[in-house]
Amino acid sequence: MLLVASYAFYGWWDYRFLFLIIFSTVVDYSIGLGLFKENRLKRRKVLLTVSVLVNLGLLGFFKYYNFFIDNFVTVFLFFGNEIQVSSLEIILPVGISFYTFQTLSYSIDVYKKKLKPTKNFIAFSVFVSFFPQLVAGPIEKASKLLPQFYELRVFNYKKGKEGLQQILWGLFKKIVIADSCAPFVNDIFVNYSSYSGIVLIIGAVLFAFQIYSDFSGYSDIAIGIAKLFGVNLMTNFKTPYFSKSIPEFWRRWHISLSNWFRDYLYFPLGGSKRKLIIVVRNIFIVFIVSGFWHGANWTFIFWGALNAVYYLPSFILKSSGINRVVFSTNNFIETINNFMSMTITFMLTVFAWIFFRSENISVAFEYISCIFKRANFFNLSYLQLSNQSIKILLFYLIFFVAIDWFYRNKSHVFINSNHFMKDKIIKPFLYLITVLAIILSLNNMANSFIYFQF
C-alpha cells in the first residue's frame, strides 16, 4: 500500500520519471544481492562501481549536464576558440538528489558488509520511494529505515498525535514564516541596486529565516506524516541558528545530508586522522561537493567553499585542545559569551546565504558591494511602503524565534513536557496562535518548497 501511494505521489508530478526511480531501485536492489553472493574483491568493486556510475550518472546528466556544457564553451571562448555545443532542455526530476544518495548509501553499506542486503523487493522499493521524504529528505540510511517496512504496522494513537502536531508546526514554518518572507526577499534580491544598505542586510536576514523555515518545515511535515504510518524518520534540524560556532551549525543544519557526506566522503578520504594539510583538503572537498550538490551554479560552489573557510578555524583550535564546542544549554537565558558566539555565527551564516540566494557570483558581489557603498545606508523608506505587512511579519518572526528558543531541546514544539504550566496553559495558547496564523497566511501559499529544486 505504501509503495502504491509513493508511486502515485511521485507520478502525479510527472509519470515519466517513475521509470527513472524504478530503474534506480532495480539496479541497487540487484547490486545488493550480487555483493552478498560475491566474495571476490575485484568483482565486488566492479558491482559497487556500477552502482556509483548509475546513480551519479543519472544525477549528473539531469542536474549538471548544461552546467558543464556551458562552462566547457566558456573555457574555449576564453582561449579564443569558439565551439558550437547545444545545451538541452532537461527537466530536473524532483527529489533525484535525495533518492540517489539514499540508494547509493545502501550499496556502499552492503559492499562494506555493514548491512545485509534485503531480498524483499517491495520493502526495498518503499525504502527508495517512501513519499513523505522522497522529494526533500531526510536522507535515511537503510539500516534504520528499511527494517521498519518489514514490520506489520498498527496505528499508534500517541505516535499519530505527535505526527499531527509536528505537521502543524511544519505548516506554520512554511506558510507563516517562509512564505511571508518570500515576497520581501524576492523583491530585495531582484532590485538590490535600488535599496539602501540596511534594507539589503534585512533582505539577507529574511532569506536566512525563509530557507530555514521552508526546509525545516518540510522536514517536520515529512517526519509527521511518516509517524502517521508508524515510521520513524531522523530529525533533520536542531535550531541551527542558536549554534555557537560553525561546526555546531553544521551538526544542527540538514543533519541527514551532513551525516551522509561525513560517512561516505569525509571518512573515506581519511577524515581527521591524517596530517593537517590533508584534513584541510578533506574539509574543502566535502563542503565544495556539498555546495555543488545543491545546484548547478558557481554560487553554490562558492557558498560551500566559504563555509569550509568558516569551519577551519574552529576545527584547528579544537584539534589543539583550545576550543570545545558546547551545545546550547537548558538555561532560558544564555551567558553573554554564548550569546555573542551565537550572534557572530548567525551573521557569518547570513553573509554566506547571500551567495546561495543570488542569481550568479557577480550579482552576489554586487549585492554585498551595495551594502557598504550606499551613502543612505540607514534609509528605511522601503519598509515604510509596506508598513502593515512588515509589522505582521515582525510579529511572526519574534513569536517563531521565541518558541524555537523555548523548545530548542525538544523534538518539536507541541511535545508533552509533563509540566502543568507548559501542557495545560502555554500549549493551548500556542495551538491557537499557530492555527490562526496559518489561516490568516493561507494566501501566501503560492511558493513551492525551496529544496524541491535540488
Side-chain angles (χ1 to χ4, degrees):
M1 197 68 183
L2 280 178
L3 182 60
V4 173
S6 297
Y7 280 171
F9 172 81
Y10 197 74
W12 191 265
W13 169 71
D14 193 324
Y15 69 91
R16 294 172 297 178
F17 290 110
L18 267 178
F19 298 104
L20 195 66
I21 197 170
I22 292 171
F23 174 72
S24 185
T25 301
V26 171
V27 167
D28 282 286
Y29 173 79
S30 303
I31 285 174
L33 294 177
L35 286 168
F36 181 70
K37 295 174 183 177
E38 185 60 66
N39 292 317
R40 287 165 289 188
L41 183 59
K42 286 186 177 180
R43 294 197 176 185
R44 287 175 61 81
K45 286 183 177 179
V46 168
L47 287 170
L48 179 62
T49 301
V50 171
S51 175
V52 171
L53 290 177
V54 168
N55 283 289
L56 297 188
L58 290 173
L59 182 61
F61 174 75
F62 283 99
K63 194 168 185 176
Y64 302 109
Y65 176 84
N66 285 334
F67 173 82
F68 285 116
I69 289 296
D70 292 343
N71 281 278
F72 183 72
V73 171
T74 300
V75 169
F76 269 81
L77 285 174
F78 179 79
F79 289 104
N81 297 310
E82 185 174 351
I83 59 172
Q84 298 293 328
V85 182
S86 300
S87 58
L88 302 176
E89 295 293 329
I90 300 174
I91 301 173
L92 179 65
V94 170
I96 190 171
S97 299
F98 293 87
Y99 72 73
T100 52
F101 269 33
Q102 191 156 299
T103 57
L104 183 57
S105 69
Y106 170 82
S107 294
I108 294 172
D109 284 348
V110 173
Y111 172 79
K112 292 182 176 180
K113 298 184 178 180
K114 293 181 178 180
L115 178 71
K116 186 178 179 180
T118 181
K119 295 181 180 179
N120 188 327
F121 181 73
I122 298 299
F124 183 77
S125 299
V126 178
F127 161 73
V128 176
S129 63
F130 186 46
F131 74 92
Q133 46 97 225
L134 172 61
V135 296
I139 302 169
E140 292 283 354
K141 283 190 173 184
S143 57
K144 178 178 180 290
L145 183 58
L146 188 54
Q148 296 185 63
F149 299 128
Y150 301 150
E151 302 167 356
L152 178 65
R153 284 174 301 280
V154 179
F155 180 76
N156 183 291
Y157 173 79
K158 182 180 179 181
K159 186 177 286 189
K161 179 182 176 182
E162 287 183 3
L164 290 173
Q165 290 170 334
Q166 202 152 357
I167 291 169
L168 179 64
W169 188 240
L171 289 172
F172 175 85
K173 287 181 179 178
K174 168 59 179 169
I175 299 171
V176 178
I177 304 298
D179 289 353
S180 294
C181 289
F184 296 101
V185 171
N186 294 340
D187 182 49
I188 292 171
F189 270 84
V190 169
N191 303 300
Y192 63 91
S193 59
S194 303
Y195 296 128
S196 64
I198 192 67
V199 171
L200 297 184
I201 291 174
I202 291 170
V205 170
L206 288 179
F207 177 67
F209 279 106
Q210 180 193 3
I211 193 167
Y212 168 53
S213 302
D214 190 283
F215 193 20
S216 68
Y218 177 87
S219 293
D220 283 339
I221 294 169
I223 293 167
I225 293 174
K227 284 181 179 178
L228 296 179
F229 290 94
V231 176
N232 294 312
L233 299 179
M234 69 177 294
T235 299
N236 215 16
F237 291 86
K238 292 181 179 178
T239 55
Y241 291 151
F242 297 143
S243 302
K244 293 186 279 294
S245 69
I246 293 298
E248 184 183 352
F249 173 84
W250 282 107
R251 285 196 291 271
R252 291 170 169 260
W253 176 276
H254 201 173
I255 298 167
S256 64
L257 183 66
S258 297
N259 289 351
W260 198 98
F261 279 116
R262 179 198 65 198
D263 295 340
Y264 301 108
L265 184 57
Y266 183 67
F267 287 163
L269 287 170
S272 57
K273 296 181 179 180
R274 306 285 292 276
K275 292 181 179 179
L276 182 59
I277 187 66
I278 301 298
V279 175
V280 170
R281 180 207 67 178
N282 295 345
I283 290 171
F284 267 95
I285 289 174
V286 168
F287 275 101
I288 289 171
V289 172
S290 175
F292 197 40
W293 176 90
H294 283 83
N297 195 318
W298 285 104
T299 54
F300 297 118
I301 296 173
F302 190 91
W303 171 78
L306 182 58
N307 273 283
V309 173
Y310 287 168
Y311 190 94
L312 282 174
S314 292
F315 174 83
I316 293 170
L317 290 173
K318 179 185 176 183
S319 63
S320 301
I322 299 172
N323 178 59
R324 289 289 182 267
V325 176
V326 180
F327 283 85
S328 293
T329 65
N330 290 315
N331 298 332
F332 181 73
I333 300 176
E334 287 280 6
T335 64
I336 295 297
N337 285 341
N338 283 346
F339 179 76
M340 289 301 297
S341 296
M342 289 181 192
T343 302
I344 292 169
T345 302
F346 179 69
M347 290 170 63
L348 290 171
T349 305
V350 168
F351 182 79
W353 284 133
I354 294 173
F355 293 93
F356 193 98
R357 175 59 179 77
S358 297
E359 184 179 345
N360 54 57
I361 289 288
S362 297
V363 169
F365 280 110
E366 287 172 13
Y367 188 104
I368 294 165
S369 176
C370 287
I371 292 175
F372 299 105
K373 286 187 176 179
R374 293 291 162 78
N376 58 342
F377 181 86
F378 290 103
N379 186 344
L380 291 170
S381 58
Y382 168 79
L383 301 182
Q384 293 170 4
L385 290 174
S386 34
N387 196 20
Q388 191 62 30
S389 298
I390 268 293
K391 284 182 178 178
I392 294 172
L393 178 57
L394 183 60
F395 169 78
Y396 287 150
L397 288 175
I398 292 172
F399 174 77
F400 175 57
V401 172
I403 297 303
D404 232 23
W405 175 260
F406 196 67
Y407 289 92
R408 65 192 183 281
N409 293 312
K410 305 294 183 183
S411 59
H412 63 84
V413 168
F414 300 111
I415 193 168
N416 286 332
S417 61
N418 297 320
H419 188 283
F420 178 82
M421 182 70 175
K422 291 180 180 179
D423 292 341
K424 303 301 181 183
I425 298 176
I426 296 178
K427 189 186 289 186
F429 174 74
L430 289 181
Y431 276 127
L432 179 63
I433 295 293
T434 303
V435 172
L436 284 176
I438 291 172
I439 293 172
L440 293 173
S441 304
L442 285 174
N443 61 326
N444 296 331
M445 288 182 64
N447 301 289
S448 63
F449 286 94
I450 292 174
Y451 265 66
F452 279 12
Q453 64 185 292
F454 304 138

